[in-house]
Amino acid sequence: MSEDFKPASPYRRYRNSDTDLESGIGRVGNGSTDDDDEGTSGGPFDIFRTKSAPIDRLKRWRQAALVLNASRRFRYTLDLKKDKERKLLLAKIRTHAQVIRAAVLFQAAAQGVDVPGSPLKKPPTPTRTGDFDISQEELSQMSREHEISALQQYGGVKGVAEKLKTSLEKGIRGDETDFLKRKNIFGSNTYPRKKGRSFWRFLWEACRDTTLIILMVAAAASLALGIKTEGIKEGWYDGGSIALAVFIVIVVTAISDYRQSLQFQSLNEEKQNIHLEVVRGGRRIEVSIFEIVVGDIVPLKIGDQVPADGILVSGHSLAIDESSMTGESKIVHKDSKAPFLMSGCKVADGYGNMLVTNVGINTEWGLLMASISEDNGEETPLQVRLNGVATFIGIVGLAVAAIVLIVLFIRFFTGHTYNTDGSRQFKAGRTKASTAIDGAIKIFTVAVTIVVVAVPEGLPLAVTLTLAYSMRKMMRDKALVRRLSACETMGSATTICSDKTGTLTLNQMTVVEAYVGGKKVDPPDDKSLLPPELTSLLTEGIAQNSTGSVFLPEGGGDAEVSGSPTEKAILQWGLNLGMNFDVIRSSSSIIHAFPFNSEKKRGGVAVKLPDSDIHVHWKGAAEIVLASCTAYMDENDGIQPIEEKVLDFKTAIEDMAARSLRCVAIAYRHHEGKDVPTNEEELSNWQLPEGQLVLLAIVGIKDPCRPGVRDAVQLCKNAGVKVRMVTGDNLNTARAIALECGILKSDADADATEPNLIIEGKAFRALSEERRREVAEKISVMGRSSPNDKLLLVQALRKKHVVAVTGDGTNDAPALHEADIGLAMGIQGTEVAKESSDIIILDDDFASVVKVVRWGRSVYANIQKFIQFQLTVNVAALIINVVAAVSAGDVPLNAVQLLWVNLIMDTLGALALATEPPTDHLMTRPPVRRREPLVTNIMWRNLLIQALYQVTVLLILNFRGKSILHLEHDNADHANKVKNTLIFNAFVLCQVFNEFNARKPDEINVFKGVTKNHLFMGIIGLTVVLQVVMIFFLGKFTSTVRLSWKLWLVSIAIGLISWPLAAIGKWIPVPETPLGELLTGKIRKQRNGGGD
C-alpha cells in the first residue's frame, strides 16, 4: 500500500535509501572519511569506526587477538554468532506470525464464517470482565487478526471505547483506582525480559582464564608434593598460597565485572523507557510507555513509536512503517478501512489518535521482544585498538616467559641453581625425583605467572570500565548514551552541526510581533485592533491547522496549551485574540490535511464548514507562504491584491528575522465544495491547493538563546571544535542567532557572502559534490536547510572531520545515522530520531552537548593514564625477573607476589585511573586524531623514566642488597628473604606512588583534584593496607618476612623518589612526531640510502 503514501514524504525517501532504520545497518549516500576507507588494508586492529563496520573486519580482529579468557575479553563486544542467530529467530517469528494469521483466515474462509467483512459471521457475544463489557481474549483476537467485521459488530471504535469505559475525546478517568483496575484485568505494558547474569556466572567466567587454570593445576601439584615431602602442617604453604592468590584474583575480578554489568543493565532499561503523551481526563499528560493501559487515547505524530496495539480513532494522512513487525520496508496508510495499529511500529507521516486495545505480552511486539534476547554487545574503536596493544605486549610477555622458563630449567638441571646456603638445588643421580619435580613446578609457576603479568587482559576491559563509569555520570549531565562507541568518538569530534531551535535556544516561544490586516498590530494580541471577519478566519486557521491542543480546566483557571513550542506560541496568541478552541473544532471538521514537514516548510488543512463551504488553511515559513499569496485581507475585511504590499511584507519579515524572530505566515483560501473528492480513497490522494492564497497574518516568534550557550560555543572553539548552525529558519534569523550565540564573531562575519560563512540550503544543494566539500569547510551557518541539506553537509564534512550532528525530527534520521556521532534531542526529538542516534541529549541543551565532548575526551585520557601505568609495571616486572633469572638463576618476585602486582595493575589500577572525572584542562587541547597512537611520546617518556628507575634500583638491591643492607652476617636464608621482601615491598610502593603520576601525564602538579576522586583515594588506601597486612601477617603465603621500620622507610623513600623524578622528567621536551613514525621514517631512509 506504499503507493498510497505521499511521494513528497522525506521519510519514505529515507526508508528507500541504502539505510535500514530498524536494524541500524547500511549507509546513506557514499560519503566517507579517510578513516572509513580502510578496506582490508592495514592491520586487523585498524578499525577507526565500528559504527556499521563490516562483519569480516570484526571477525578479523577477534581472530588476531591474543586472548587468555575469551568469555571475559569479548563480553562487551558484539557476539557475531548470537547476533546472526537472533536475526534468524526474528525472521522466523515474523514469518510464523504471518503464517498463523493467513492459516486462520484460510480456515475461517473454508468454513464460511469469521471472514473479515463477511455477512455470514455471527455477532460476537462480549464477555463482561469486571467493570468492562469486553474481555482481553476478544480484544487480542480482534487486533491479532485485524478483524474489521468484529470491530464493526462491537459497534466500531466508539462501541469498543464504550465497552472499555473510555471517552474518545477525554480518554480514561486516569485516577489511581481506574488505572490499577485496567492494569490488573488487561495487563501492564511490559514484557518478560531476560534476567541479567548472576554474580556466580561472572565468577565462573573469571575462572576460565587459561593462565589461572594452569596456575591452579600447578598449585595442586605443588600442594600434593609439599604435603608428601614435608607433611600437611608445613607442606601446604607453597601450593596453598598460589591457590589462595588465584582465588582472590578471581573473586576481585568477578566483583568488578559484576558491578559493571549492573551499571550497563540500568542504562539499558533507561534507553527503553520512552515517554509520550496520552489523553486522560480531557488533558494531555506525559507518561512512560510502561504506564500505558488498555483504554488510553494516545495522540500520534510523525516519528512516534506506536506504544501498544490499538485502533485508529481519527487521523489525517496517517501512514505507518510496519517493517519492525513484518520485516518489510512497507509504508501502510491507516484509515477507517485499515484502522488496526501494531505496537513497535513507527509513524511515517501524518497524525492521529489511537485507542489502546492490547498492551505488553498481549501484543505481537511484546511476544516478539519476549522471544528474543537482546545482545547489547558492541566493540568500540578504542577497545579494538587496545586489543591490538594487549596482543603485542602479550606476545612479548610470552617470549620473555619462555626465555625465563628455558634459562631456569637449564640452570636447574645442569646444577647451576643454588639454595641460599650455597648448596646446589639439583644434583644429577642424587636429588630425589619429588624434589626435582617440586623445583621444576616452582620454575614453571614463575614462568606462567610472568605470562599473567605480561598479558594485560584487563587493558581492553578498562575501556568498558571507564565507559560504564562515564555513562552513569553522563546521565547526571543529561546525556543518555545509546552506543558505547559514541562516548569515546565524541572526544575526537572536530565539528558539531547543531540545530538552532531548542538546542541553541530555549524553545520557549511567544508571539511578540504581528502584522495583520496589512499593518503592524501593537501590542500583537490586542483583538480590538482587528476586524471581525479577519479575526474569525484567523482563529479558525489557528485552531484547525494545529497538532496542538487546548485544555480548559472545569473549575476555571488558565488554559493549558500543549504541542510543539511553535504550535503552543501560536495557539496562545489565538487564545489572546479570543479564540474558543473547542467551539471552532466542533463547529467545523477537517476533511484532509497536509502535515507540516521540513521539506516544504509548511502545513495545511481543508476544513468543511456547517454550510458545506471549504476553507483551506496554510501555515509555515513566512517567505514561502507569502510567495503563494496573491491577495491579503485588509483592516476592513476587504480582499486586496498583494502586489502593492508585497515589498512591505518582505521588509517586515527581514526586519523581524534580523532581530532573531522566527517568522510564520498564516493564509487561507476559499474552495468550492464540488471540487473536493467525496470518495475516501480519492480524498486521501487529493493535493491541497497551494496557490492563490489570501494572507491573513505574519507573526514574529521570539525564542531566546539559552543562558550559557555563548560560553559553551567558546569552550568548543578553545577545544578546537568548530560549531556550525544548521537551521530551517531564514538566513537573517539564523545570522542574528549565530551572532548572539557566538558562532559568528562579529557583524563582519555576519555580512560575509555565501559560500564563505553563511549559505542557504538550496544553494549548497545545487553545488557539485567536489565543490560541496570545499564550501563545507567554510560554512558556519546554513539557513533554510532541509534534512537532506543537513545530510549532504555531514557527508561533505566527514571527508576530513569527525562530525557530530544534532537532530530532533524524523527527517533528521539519515544525517544522525551518517554522522560519526548522532545526537538526538530528548524532549523535542521523535522516536525515529532517537533510534537513529548514538546519544540522546535529555535536556535539549547545547551545553550538554559540550559536556559530552568533555566526557569523550575524558574516556580517552583515562585509558591513556591506565596504559602508562600498566606498561610501566609490565616493563619493570619483566626486566627485573628476566635479568635476575638469566644472571642468578632465581627471581626476586615469586608467583604469589606477581599475582598481587597483577591485581594492583589490572583490576585495582583500572578502577582507580579509569574513573577519573573530566577536568577543564581537557578542553584546552585539540581533538584527539583517530589515527593518533595510543601511547604518545609524552607517555613513552614518562613510563621509560619510571621503569628505568625502578629496574635500576631493584636490580641493585637484588645483586648488592645484602651488602647495602648489611646482611652479610645474617643467616643466609633469612638475609635472602629480607632482601627479596624489601624488593617486593619497594616495587609495590613504587606502583602506588606512580599511580599518582599516571593521573596527570602532561602536568607537573599530579595532586590537583585528587581528594575529589574518592574511589582513587580509597583504592590507594586499600592497596597500602593490604600490602602492610601481607608483609606483617601473611609471610608464610607470600614468602616474605617482617621488615623493620627502617626498611619500611627505605621502601617508602624508593617509591617517593618517583614523584620528583616524574616532575623533572616532564621538563624533557619530546618531538611532536609520534615515535612510531620517527622510527619507520629512519628505517625508510636507511633502506633508500642503501638502495642508492
Side-chain angles (χ1 to χ4, degrees), residues 260-326:
Q260 278 183 59
S261 171
L262 292 177
Q263 287 174 6
F264 281 124
Q265 204 172 313
S266 64
L267 286 166
N268 285 334
E269 286 170 6
E270 189 63 39
K271 287 179 202 174
Q272 290 153 358
N273 188 13
I274 298 168
H275 284 81
L276 68 163
E277 285 187 333
V278 296
V279 180
R280 289 181 183 169
R283 63 162 52 121
R284 286 192 188 188
I285 59 169
E286 190 176 275
V287 299
S288 163
I289 192 171
F290 304 128
E291 293 174 10
I292 298 286
V293 292
V294 169
D296 262 326
I297 299 295
V298 181
L300 297 173
K301 61 184 183 299
I302 185 169
D304 283 351
Q305 177 175 311
V306 180
D309 283 0
I311 311 166
L312 181 66
V313 175
S314 62
H316 299 286
S317 304
L318 188 66
I320 304 292
D321 170 29
E322 295 186 348
S323 61
S324 57
M325 284 305 304
T326 63

Side-chain angles (χ1 to χ4, degrees), residues 522-802:
D522 193 17
D525 51 5
D526 187 348
K527 58 186 176 185
S528 64
L529 299 175
L530 305 183
E533 178 67 17
L534 195 155
T535 304
S536 174
L537 286 168
L538 191 57
T539 53
E540 179 184 279
I542 291 171
Q544 292 287 24
N545 190 16
S546 175
T547 54
S549 67
V550 176
F551 173 76
L552 293 167
E554 291 179 8
D558 293 336
E560 295 176 15
V561 183
S562 62
S564 70
T566 307
E567 294 281 13
K568 284 163 72 174
I570 294 173
L571 283 171
Q572 187 60 56
W573 182 57
L575 290 171
N576 296 344
L577 294 176
M579 176 183 73
N580 191 320
F581 185 82
D582 291 332
V583 170
I584 293 172
R585 282 275 179 126
S586 58
S587 62
S588 56
S589 59
I590 298 171
I591 57 170
H592 190 53
F594 179 87
F596 179 89
N597 74 59
S598 43
E599 289 282 341
K600 288 211 165 187
K601 309 274 183 216
R602 57 180 169 179
V605 291
V607 177
K608 189 174 184 179
L609 303 176
D611 59 6
S612 296
D613 269 3
I614 304 294
H615 283 171
V616 178
H617 290 279
W618 284 96
K619 177 179 69 185
E623 67 270 28
I624 292 174
V625 173
L626 181 64
S628 299
C629 293
T630 55
Y632 73 97
M633 188 170 277
D634 65 18
E635 57 191 331
N636 300 313
D637 284 337
I639 306 292
Q640 304 295 337
I642 204 164
E643 287 83 358
E644 60 191 38
K645 292 282 286 184
V646 73
L647 283 175
D648 294 341
F649 290 133
K650 284 182 177 178
T651 304
I653 292 168
E654 287 171 8
D655 179 56
M656 287 191 283
R659 285 179 284 120
S660 70
L661 301 185
R662 168 173 278 191
C663 303
V664 176
I666 300 167
Y668 101 108
R669 64 167 285 175
H670 182 269
H671 197 75
E672 294 295 332
K674 59 184 175 58
D675 295 333
V676 178
T678 52
N679 179 286
E680 189 176 346
E681 191 172 340
E682 289 177 4
L683 187 62
S684 66
N685 292 315
W686 180 50
Q687 295 290 321
L688 283 181
E690 299 180 5
Q692 298 183 337
L693 304 182
V694 177
L695 182 68
L696 299 177
I698 298 173
V699 296
I701 301 172
K702 181 68 177 173
D703 184 13
C705 275
R706 285 184 179 273
V709 73
R710 194 178 182 89
D711 293 337
V713 170
Q714 188 57 48
L715 199 60
C716 282
K717 288 181 178 178
N718 296 343
V721 181
K722 183 175 175 68
V723 181
R724 306 168 201 265
M725 186 205 294
V726 184
T727 177
D729 282 342
N730 73 37
L731 280 181
N732 290 330
T733 306
R735 184 185 283 111
I737 292 290
L739 277 167
E740 205 174 329
C741 294
I743 292 172
L744 296 176
K745 295 178 185 176
S746 63
D747 289 328
D749 284 346
D751 292 334
T753 55
E754 55 184 64
N756 222 355
L757 288 169
I758 304 170
I759 193 169
E760 202 166 53
K762 64 181 179 183
F764 183 72
R765 195 186 319 146
L767 299 172
S768 65
E769 188 177 345
E770 191 174 335
R771 182 72 180 129
R772 277 202 297 267
R773 287 185 208 170
E774 294 173 17
V775 172
E777 287 291 317
K778 303 173 185 176
I779 292 173
S780 292
V781 177
M782 184 185 283
R784 277 290 175 250
S785 69
S786 69
N788 192 50
D789 298 331
K790 186 188 277 189
L791 174 60
L792 290 172
L793 178 63
V794 169
Q795 288 174 343
L797 289 170
R798 280 201 57 235
K799 300 292 179 183
K800 292 183 180 178
H801 292 274
V802 178

Side-chain angles (χ1 to χ4, degrees), residues 74-205:
F74 297 130
R75 182 183 297 134
Y76 295 111
T77 59
L78 180 64
D79 190 324
L80 300 177
K81 188 179 176 183
K82 278 188 180 178
D83 188 56
K84 189 176 179 182
E85 289 172 358
R86 181 178 177 273
K87 285 174 182 173
L88 288 172
L89 178 62
L90 196 62
K92 280 181 185 175
I93 293 168
R94 283 168 171 165
T95 306
H96 188 59
Q98 299 294 323
V99 169
I100 288 174
R101 184 175 293 165
V104 169
L105 295 175
F106 180 78
Q107 186 180 21
Q111 295 170 354
V113 293
D114 202 21
V115 180
S118 168
L120 298 173
K121 183 172 179 179
K122 295 176 182 178
T125 307
T127 309
R128 189 170 181 82
T129 311
D131 292 343
F132 305 102
D133 297 328
I134 193 165
S135 68
Q136 176 60 62
E137 291 72 24
E138 288 163 329
L139 288 170
S140 295
Q141 185 179 347
M142 178 180 66
S143 294
R144 195 177 298 122
E145 309 307 335
H146 290 196
E147 291 184 346
I148 295 285
S149 56
L151 176 62
Q152 290 169 348
Q153 285 151 8
Y154 286 134
V157 181
K158 192 174 181 182
V160 174
E162 285 173 359
K163 289 175 173 49
L164 289 172
K165 303 292 186 285
T166 298
S167 163
L168 292 179
E169 290 76 35
K170 296 187 175 181
I172 63 172
R173 293 200 313 273
D175 57 77
E176 193 67 25
T177 309
D178 183 38
F179 183 74
L180 289 173
K181 197 185 293 176
R182 291 173 188 275
K183 229 175 182 181
N184 292 333
I185 292 171
F186 298 109
S188 62
N189 200 27
T190 56
Y191 52 86
R193 297 185 190 277
K194 186 181 176 184
K195 285 186 178 179
R197 289 188 179 105
S198 67
F199 172 73
W200 305 109
R201 175 79 181 272
F202 285 98
L203 199 66
W204 167 245
E205 286 184 356

